[in-house]
Amino acid sequence: MTREMLITTLRHHLGSRYVLHRREELMLYEYDGSAMDQALPDVVVVPGSTAEVAAAMATATRLGFPIIARGAGTGLAGSTVAERGGMVVSLARLNQILQIDPQAATAVVQPGVVNTDLSRAAAPYGLHFAPDPSSQRSSTIGGNAGSNAGGPHCLKYGVTSNHVLAATLVLADGHVVRVGSAVSDTPGYDLLAAVVGSEGTLGIMTELTVRLTRNAEDVRTFLAIFDDMEVAGACVSAIIADGIIPAALEMIEGEGIAAIESWAHAGYPPDARAVLLIEIDGLREDIAAEARRIALVCQASGCRELRTASDAAQRERLWAGRKGALAACARIAPHYHILDGTVPRSRLPEILRRSAEIAAHYDLKVVNIFHAGDGNIHPLLLFDLRVPGTRERAIAAGAEILRSCVEVGGTISGEHGIGIEKREFIPWIFNVEDLSAFTDLRNVFDPTGVMNPGKLLPPPASLSSLHASQPSLRLPRRGAWI
């Protein structure tokens, strides 16, 4: 009866067309881009305004249903999976670019705007939106902000949080607040920093003011080819140590090179053990000098060959191979579990070797396709779910690889978020005092605990066991104020 009451009330606020409740409708929203975790929501709403989002959230909170924000569903950590049922709020209809201010180099957008659509709209002004996750042709600005997505060019330009200036946030009870500001250096607590990357656990963003970046005068893209994976990893550190900060510094190693080439025809040599995709941008005079330095570093590091994209079309082909890597690896195996650890650049060769050893131990294939410049690795564990036990082996192997990242001074996520996938690993990088503070902060925004419960932080039972091991620390309470 409570579910029927929820559906009836939501229809009143949004109209029947935008309240989905039949099983065949709900099945489209039971998984994200990884498909490693699946769960059916009770209802899906597709609001068309901030007011409708607020009305739907107030209704779900009053009736005690979990609330899960969802963009394009391209996430890879299970953050938008309705693990405990509840109401999924699809932001697909909130897809308007409300304003572009070329003088201030800012834009005001709704969360359902697709990443590349914003850059396309800003192009006539010589601007673009810098965060560029590999899913940028389908992922949305709201989803990028929810997970604090990165991308190849975040090495030079920063992740999404560096480009969000302000947001309209709807809280669980339907109240609408504004966090952040379009002007810099405003007084008070930086609540926007808490919201971006919070995976929908604090509220739902329905409007974002974002920073746009001026297009560079010139761009050059290189493909460095290596016969040894560890040599390629060492070259990454050597480039940064030489004082060069490329716009992007990507690495692909193993079987993935041949798979990508056979699919995308990007110009990658299939026999290479590893390739680096290096891009620099800026003033023509500056990048000419940087190009010469990169050639010298690559040569000194043992690079077999350094190729330069001759024109924009060749550059696009090189990037099409990198951006389409996940699809290409389906030629190796039909399913994947993609990881998202981050390690110091100097430890890349060690972690790549360790990833291969762990994958072999669990009888899995692994391909590394990742943001080498900032040490954000993406080991891609490949398998066939139709073989019994493979999902469990992939999850266990993934946990060991992420644990290895932490052991060398790294962390468990660089851009995908925590979601379901990594919540049990949070105590590896935060102590109980940290987790108490996080939970208290979450309870300030959402005292009833309905916002995407079970995501980002360990479940309450896990927190309780952690606190029990150190009884001097108090358990955070619902509605606690800091």
Side-chain angles (χ1 to χ4, degrees), residues 79-166:
S79 298
T80 62
V81 175
E83 182 186 35
R84 303 183 186 181
M87 179 181 74
V88 166
V89 181
S90 168
L91 300 164
R93 289 176 63 209
L94 294 173
N95 60 359
Q96 299 300 305
I97 299 172
L98 303 175
Q99 179 188 20
I100 292 180
D101 184 339
Q103 280 72 43
T106 61
V108 180
V109 302
Q110 293 181 318
V113 172
V114 172
N115 182 294
T116 51
D117 287 349
L118 177 55
S119 287
R120 192 175 294 116
Y125 306 103
L127 300 166
H128 68 284
F129 185 60
D132 61 336
S134 294
S135 59
Q136 67 180 144
R137 292 185 179 180
S138 52
S139 65
T140 59
I141 303 296
N144 296 162
S147 63
N148 195 20
H153 290 85
C154 72
L155 172 61
K156 181 174 181 178
Y157 292 104
V159 294
T160 303
S161 60
N162 300 116
H163 300 270
V164 178
L165 301 172

Side-chain angles (χ1 to χ4, degrees), residues 37 96 115 146 239 262 269 279 291 295 316 352 390 396 422 450:
D37 296 286
Q96 299 300 305
N115 182 294
I239 289 171
S262 66
E279 186 160 281
E316 287 298 319
L352 294 176
T390 52
K422 309 186 193 86
V450 298

Side-chain angles (χ1 to χ4, degrees), residues 30-355:
E30 69 176 352
Y31 53 88
D32 67 359
S34 72
M36 290 294 285
D37 296 286
Q38 298 184 18
L40 210 64
D42 291 292
V43 64
V44 175
V45 293
V46 193
S49 67
T50 295
E52 289 185 353
V53 172
M57 292 174 65
T59 299
T61 297
R62 178 169 55 84
L63 296 175
F65 281 85
I67 301 168
I68 304 96
R70 183 181 175 98
T74 60
L76 294 166
S79 298
T80 62
V81 175
E83 182 186 35
R84 303 183 186 181
M87 179 181 74
V88 166
V89 181
S90 168
L91 300 164
R93 289 176 63 209
L94 294 173
N95 60 359
Q96 299 300 305
I97 299 172
L98 303 175
Q99 179 188 20
I100 292 180
D101 184 339
Q103 280 72 43
T106 61
V108 180
V109 302
Q110 293 181 318
V113 172
V114 172
N115 182 294
T116 51
D117 287 349
L118 177 55
S119 287
R120 192 175 294 116
Y125 306 103
L127 300 166
H128 68 284
F129 185 60
D132 61 336
S134 294
S135 59
Q136 67 180 144
R137 292 185 179 180
S138 52
S139 65
T140 59
I141 303 296
N144 296 162
S147 63
N148 195 20
H153 290 85
C154 72
L155 172 61
K156 181 174 181 178
Y157 292 104
V159 294
T160 303
S161 60
N162 300 116
H163 300 270
V164 178
L165 301 172
T168 297
L169 183 72
V170 183
L171 302 178
D173 62 2
H175 279 84
V176 180
V177 298
R178 184 77 171 167
V179 293
S181 172
V183 299
S184 60
D185 299 326
T186 54
Y189 297 112
D190 188 0
L191 297 179
L192 180 67
V195 171
V196 175
S198 64
E199 301 181 32
T201 60
L202 304 184
I204 295 180
M205 289 175 277
T206 59
E207 187 178 294
L208 300 96
T209 301
V210 299
R211 177 181 289 111
L212 300 175
T213 300
R214 297 284 172 191
N215 294 342
E217 182 180 88
D218 200 5
V219 179
R220 293 196 193 180
T221 306
F222 309 90
L223 186 72
I225 302 162
F226 295 85
D227 292 324
D228 185 282
M229 175 267 293
E230 293 195 28
V231 170
C235 185
V236 171
S237 294
I239 289 171
I240 304 297
D242 197 59
I244 303 168
I245 304 297
L249 181 49
E250 302 288 289
M251 181 170 170
I252 306 168
E253 65 89 25
E255 280 187 70
I257 298 170
I260 291 169
E261 183 58 26
S262 66
W263 176 76
H265 308 294
Y268 299 171
D271 66 328
R273 184 66 182 87
V275 297
L276 295 180
L277 189 58
I278 310 165
E279 186 160 281
I280 56 177
D281 62 13
L283 299 175
R284 289 188 182 91
E285 295 81 0
D286 292 340
I287 68 169
E290 280 195 355
R292 290 191 291 270
R293 290 167 62 193
I294 285 172
L296 290 172
V297 171
C298 288
Q299 182 181 17
S301 298
C303 174
R304 182 177 95 189
E305 182 184 357
L306 182 68
R307 301 176 183 175
T308 305
S310 58
D311 53 30
Q314 191 174 33
R315 175 177 175 259
E316 287 298 319
R317 284 196 299 275
L318 288 173
W319 277 112
R322 169 62 184 89
K323 297 273 186 174
L326 279 181
C329 284
R331 292 170 176 254
I332 301 174
H335 302 105
Y336 65 83
H337 179 32
I338 185 168
L339 306 175
D340 178 39
T342 300
V343 299
R345 280 185 296 267
S346 61
R347 308 301 290 269
L348 277 172
E350 176 184 347
I351 287 298
L352 294 176
R353 184 171 61 251
R354 180 68 181 136
S355 297

